[in-house]
Every structure is written in C-alpha cells, then in structure tokens.
Amino acid sequence: MSDIPLVEGVETAVFTVPTDAPEADGTLSWDSTTLVLATVCCGHLAGLGYTYAPAATARIVDTLLADVVTGQPVLDVPHSNEAMHRAVRNAGLPGVAAQAIAAVDIALWDLKARLLDLPLIRLLGAACRDVPVYGSGGFTTYDDAQLERQLRGWVEEEGIPRVKIKIGESWGRRENRDRQRVSRARAVIGDQAELFVDANGGYNAKQAVRVGRALADEGVTWFEEPVSSDHLTTLATIRDHVPQEVTAGEYGYILPYFEHMLAAGAVDCLQADVTRCGGITVWLRAAALAQARGIDISGHCAPHAHAHAAAAVPNLRHLEWFHDHVRIERLLFDGVLSPHGGSITPASHGAPGLGLTLNAKRARAYRVA
C-alpha cells in the first residue's frame, strides 16, 4: 500500500457579496461580487483556493476537474495543473475554465503546504519578506466625498504610499471629469504618495495619448489599460507616446498570452491574476517570462490569493489591494493580513499554507451555491 498522500476529493461553494456602494470603472458597472471557493481534501487536512468569477465556474470544477485531480499525489501540483488544462480542452480554456483551474490549483498549493506544515512562502522560497501593496478602487461612481474618504483611509490611516483610481468613465466620454477626479485625488493624497490610474480599456488610442500627457502634470506614473489589452500593438504605440508606465495583463488566462504581450513590447510592468491565469503554478511562470525580459510583475486583485506567490518572485513590483476583494476576504476568511505601512507579510501569523480559514458563520449569509 502506497504511503504517498493522495487528493481524496474536491468540493465547491459560491458566495456573492453586495458592494458597499454602487461601483463602476470605465467600461462596466456592478453591485455585487462573486467568489467561487474550491476545497481540496486529504485525510483530516483541506486546502482552499478561490477565484472571483461567475457561479458557473463551480460547475466546471465539479464536472470537469474534480475527478481529474482526485487520486493524484498531493505533492505533485504541476502534474495536476497540466491534467486540468488538458481536461478543459473542448470546453474552452480562456475565461471561466481557466478561473476554475486557478481555484483548484491554489487549493492544491495550500493543501501541499499544510501537509508539510509550512506557510506556503516557506515551501515556495522567499525572494522578499514583504509584499508592497497599492490601494485600489476610486470608482467612477464615487462622488468627491467618497473618493476622499477612501484615499485618506489608505494613505493616512493605513500608511499605503501608492493608490489607484478608475478613469475612462463611460467608455471615455467623460474625459473632463476623468481629469478633474485625478486632480482631486492628487490634492487629497499630497505630493509624496504615488498616483496610478486605470482606464479599463475605455479610451481610443489618440485619446489615451492625450489623457496620458495631460495627467503627467498630476504626477501620474502608472497608466493601466489605456486601451483594450486585446490590442497589443496599440498598447505598444501608446507606451512610446506617454510618460507613464503602461501596464496590462489582468485578462491573461493562458501563459502564451503573457509571452505575446511581452514580445509585443506592450507593457512596462506585466500584470497577472493568479485567480484567472491558471493558479499559482502558471502565475510563477508568467513572472519568469517577465523577468527574462527585464520586466517587473504586479499581482492583480485577490491579494490573499497572491501574497505568498508574490513574495516568491524577485521581479515583483507590488500587489493590488483592491477594495472589493479586501472587503470580501476580510469577511469570509480568518487569518487575513494587514497592509499597514504599505506592505503585507506572508506567513506573519505562522499558519501553514495560505494562512486562511473559511469563517463559516460569517460566510453563511452570502452563500448562494
């Protein structure tokens, strides 16, 4: 009889949490956010992983992925990741299938670390002790008072020295308000904090160049998705014509996408989302692709899913401390980290794996499946 620990089962749960106010960026509005949780079991241990995705993502885990990883060695996470990628071939990998794989992959890494009784960063090996974060929100639906409260909360109360707001409102049709909101943000945070903007692909190319040059006067240094990240040559052209660093990559669901983006010279800093790109396994590979080209990587949203992997790469720039996901992770999980001073420290609690446990009592009210 083998003494190799095997995955014994995979379970899913879905939670939908309303926003605390109406929210929108340049191209989308929403009033709730859904988290799909995957739990992978081995004996008395369970690893958790999650993604922010439609509830249908759980169905993909249940029907296409659970049987693939059940019975596989817990320690061989890359093997299971590859098997999951093959299993969704005919379902279509980019999109919710990749997000389903991500949730299970994160859970497998969490389980492996728990089995070894190690914080995940000790298993992966640290490249840095602390992970810098930036406050992210500043939704286009906020009035001046809401924006000011959020910015002051990050900069003055939590000591985060870098923040990001949304622009490109209404697909770029409110350019004057975009500029006014950026000016307001700079006035609130002062001259010492860094100011980033995210257009979520809301501008056209010439408009993005015009806006980027105008925002240089406000000291904006990070211009995220000035146009759609589907258009890599256009991103590269804008990168050559604005003073800010041009960034994108959050919609990378497969590793070749990141290679295409880097080869096109489309970004100054690569963004990748561990809950979308196929999990920690693939996120680490994306970081290596970027490092090979002398490019930093930034983790997109879902800060507690990223924290340990982010600390394991030498070319980490920072991690997005996204308002919605921070709220949800603080609500659903125990063991969350503090960003006080502008960084988080994975393994600061000493707990194994990601250091998170589901708070079933708090989570119960938001469970939808």
Side-chain angles (χ1 to χ4, degrees), residues 59-360:
R59 181 71 173 160
I60 295 174
V61 175
D62 295 337
T63 60
L64 296 180
L65 304 182
D67 287 347
V68 171
V69 300
T70 298
Q72 297 301 316
V74 172
L75 300 181
D76 297 340
V77 182
H79 172 83
S80 291
N81 185 280
E82 183 65 18
M84 289 191 289
H85 275 84
R86 294 178 181 180
V88 301
R89 186 196 69 180
N90 289 347
L93 175 58
V96 292
Q99 291 174 288
I101 292 171
V104 178
D105 181 86
I106 295 166
L108 287 168
W109 279 106
D110 186 44
L111 178 59
K112 179 175 180 177
R114 289 174 187 268
L115 185 68
L116 299 172
D117 197 26
L118 292 171
L120 181 54
I121 186 55
R122 299 289 173 256
L123 175 61
L124 297 175
C128 59
R129 180 177 179 274
D130 298 318
V131 174
V133 299
Y134 66 89
S136 172
F139 304 110
T140 58
T141 45
Y142 282 1
D143 60 25
D144 286 350
Q146 288 173 299
L147 180 64
E148 180 171 350
R149 280 196 303 272
Q150 188 176 70
L151 293 172
R152 290 195 185 281
W154 289 325
V155 174
E156 297 177 5
E157 297 174 21
E158 296 187 298
I160 300 174
R162 55 197 79 84
V163 298
K164 184 176 80 180
I165 70 167
K166 301 292 191 180
I167 59 171
E169 183 175 355
S170 300
W171 289 92
R173 289 191 289 269
R174 302 198 65 185
E175 185 179 324
N176 287 338
R177 183 168 188 259
D178 289 340
R179 296 188 192 188
Q180 291 168 1
R181 293 179 64 251
V182 172
S183 295
R184 178 62 178 166
R186 173 54 74 192
V188 170
I189 67 174
D191 295 333
Q192 299 305 307
E194 294 182 74
L195 181 56
F196 304 162
V197 296
D198 181 0
N200 287 99
Y203 294 136
N204 62 49
K206 289 192 174 182
Q207 184 182 25
V209 171
R210 181 172 66 248
V211 171
R213 290 174 175 171
L215 296 187
D217 292 338
E218 302 294 349
V220 173
T221 57
W222 171 280
F223 197 171
E224 186 173 331
E225 280 197 299
V227 296
S228 170
S229 56
D230 290 336
H231 306 308
L232 299 182
T233 55
T234 305
L235 274 177
T237 300
I238 293 169
R239 182 187 177 202
D240 289 338
H241 287 85
V242 298
Q244 296 85 11
E245 290 187 293
V246 170
T247 68
E250 67 184 74
Y251 297 112
Y253 293 101
I254 58 175
L255 190 64
Y257 175 88
F258 299 113
E259 171 57 22
H260 297 329
M261 178 168 276
L262 292 165
V267 294
D268 294 286
C269 181
L270 180 69
Q271 291 178 285
D273 188 326
V274 72
T275 74
R276 290 177 177 170
C277 72
I280 291 171
T281 300
V282 180
W283 195 91
L284 294 172
R285 294 171 183 168
L289 287 176
Q291 186 184 10
R293 294 178 179 270
I295 299 290
D296 286 345
I297 189 167
S298 178
H300 172 263
C301 292
H304 291 90
H306 280 92
H308 292 256
V313 298
N315 58 324
L316 176 72
R317 176 72 65 87
H318 41 46
L319 176 56
E320 185 169 9
W321 194 252
F322 181 55
H323 174 69
D324 282 0
H325 295 179
V326 170
R327 282 185 63 239
I328 292 171
E329 289 164 21
R330 285 172 171 169
L331 175 67
L332 299 184
F333 302 124
D334 292 326
V336 294
L337 302 168
S338 169
H340 189 75
S343 65
I344 56 176
T345 305
S348 58
H349 302 318
L354 295 172
L356 301 176
T357 56
L358 180 69
N359 187 306

